[in-house]
Amino acid sequence: MTELERVPPGIDPNVPSSARVYDYLLGGKDNLAIDRAFAERLLSVAPDTRLVARANRDFLVRAVRLMAEQGVRQFIDLGTGIPTSPSVHEVAHKIAPSASVVYVDYDPVVRLHTEVLLALDKNVVSVQADVREPGAVLDAPEVAELIDFSQPIGVLLVGVLHFITDAEDPAGIIAAFRDRMAPGSYLTLSHAMAESSPEAVAQLTTATASSPIQATFRSHDQVLALLDGFELLEPGLVPVHDWRNSDDLPLLPRDELPMLRIDGALGRLR
Ligand code: SAM
């Protein structure tokens, strides 16, 4: 999307969206001036944000690959974001071509892009829904059609939960999915950490305050608590870049301050 292109109906070009800001950080083109300005502000506060966004995406790819290697054949990707290659279904289909994937995001731009992308794949659907209403997601007809809850599933909450405030009950949201998941199912998440540099937390909190991209930074223990009921695979909850990174990805400049830290984990339902 550029300024010369039409803004899709229902989109306010004066309000940034986390999907489009993230798209800009990853080098995508589906963003508006307001998103780029917001992202540049984040980068001026925490210059490593672009690297961390890339590392977060690479973490997602490794987690999906591992779940597929473990036999998971159905995935629900909560807070999908604007399609970025490789997408969840591309990673899963390399291992299991018939794997089912339901993409869920509340952003209409995400819906627009995923629908075009998925038009030809009957095992992959996109649902526009709010994760804060897990019942509506779980009961969506597309989910009922594609997901067999008697079999293990892989649920992704990558880069999403920090947009959900404590009052919106992230633990309750996870519990709603956990209650429907068969034993042997997996949950993967990544989260903006309170253990980021204090300067980054303070400035990013101020920068995102009262915007739709307001972030809640949670501590290691708080994020671990969200994973209640799941047995974490090694190495547990660690910075996304360090999570099973054998891909020789470039190292993050660790000693540059301020640092935004995003940690990730993959848990198996006991
Ligand atoms: N999961 C992708 C990844 O990690 O590469 C995208 C992460 S992006 C930073 C966050 C996404 O979560 C955005 O696309 C945003 O629209 C979506 N999101 C945030 N809050 C949401 C909610 N309550 N319901 C559904 N989607 C949400």
Side-chain angles (χ1 to χ4, degrees):
M1 252 181 299
T2 69
E3 275 61 48
L4 295 175
E5 287 172 319
R6 273 187 307 124
V7 176
I11 307 294
D12 182 346
N14 301 309
V15 179
S17 98
S18 63
R20 299 189 315 252
V21 170
Y22 186 61
D23 173 73
Y24 176 70
L25 290 169
L26 290 176
K29 304 241 175 298
D30 299 306
N31 46 74
L32 300 174
I34 189 82
D35 308 307
R36 295 191 284 279
F38 196 92
E40 289 300 337
R41 190 160 169 218
L42 295 184
L43 287 165
S44 72
V45 171
D48 58 341
T49 302
R50 184 169 271 134
L51 290 171
V52 175
R54 186 72 260 164
N56 180 67
R57 191 68 205 175
D58 293 337
F59 159 78
L60 176 149
V61 168
R62 295 196 297 279
V64 171
R65 197 187 296 144
L66 183 58
M67 286 187 274
E69 283 166 359
Q70 296 301 310
V72 175
R73 295 292 176 261
Q74 28 183 17
F75 297 86
I76 305 180
D77 182 12
L78 301 168
T80 303
I82 291 166
T84 300
S85 200
S87 297
V88 169
H89 70 283
E90 291 171 336
V91 178
H93 285 177
K94 274 203 167 164
I95 292 157
S98 65
S100 305
V101 179
V102 179
Y103 289 117
V104 180
D105 203 294
Y106 66 0
D107 191 315
V109 173
V110 172
R111 174 69 184 267
L112 208 72
H113 284 277
T114 37
E115 271 185 348
V116 173
L117 182 80
L118 306 174
L120 294 175
D121 197 326
K122 67 177 174 32
N123 288 331
V124 188
V125 293
S126 172
V127 179
Q128 188 179 339
D130 194 321
V131 169
R132 291 169 296 184
E133 292 166 21
V137 175
L138 286 159
D139 294 339
E142 296 91 338
V143 173
E145 210 172 291
L146 228 54
I147 303 292
D148 174 0
F149 284 99
S150 72
Q151 297 300 314
I153 62 174
V155 172
L156 287 83
L157 275 165
V158 179
V160 187
L161 288 170
H162 40 250
F163 298 120
I164 294 174
T165 65
D166 290 344
E168 293 167 339
D169 191 16
I173 293 170
I174 292 180
F177 284 92
R178 190 183 57 220
D179 290 350
R180 293 287 298 277
M181 291 159 76
S185 292
Y186 290 84
L187 173 76
T188 186
L189 60 73
S190 69
H191 202 291
M193 302 304 288
E195 287 82 359
S196 304
S197 80
E199 193 188 346
V201 173
Q203 295 211 37
L204 289 171
T205 303
T206 309
T208 60
S210 56
S211 80
I213 312 183
Q214 182 160 17
T216 300
F217 291 81
R218 294 192 173 91
S219 69
H220 186 83
D221 286 350
Q222 286 172 320
V223 176
L224 276 186
L226 293 175
L227 288 156
D228 183 38
F230 293 90
E231 194 173 342
L232 297 199
L233 274 65
E234 288 296 330
L237 176 66
V238 296
V240 280
H241 184 272
D242 293 333
W243 194 88
R244 296 185 180 236
N245 181 1
S246 55
D247 294 345
D248 281 340
L249 297 171
L251 282 178
L252 293 177
R254 279 159 204 281
D255 46 9
E256 255 181 44
L257 286 177
M259 284 276 298
L260 169 62
R261 187 167 141 185
I262 305 269
D263 284 9
L266 173 63
R268 187 173 190 273
L269 191 63
R270 292 193 186 102

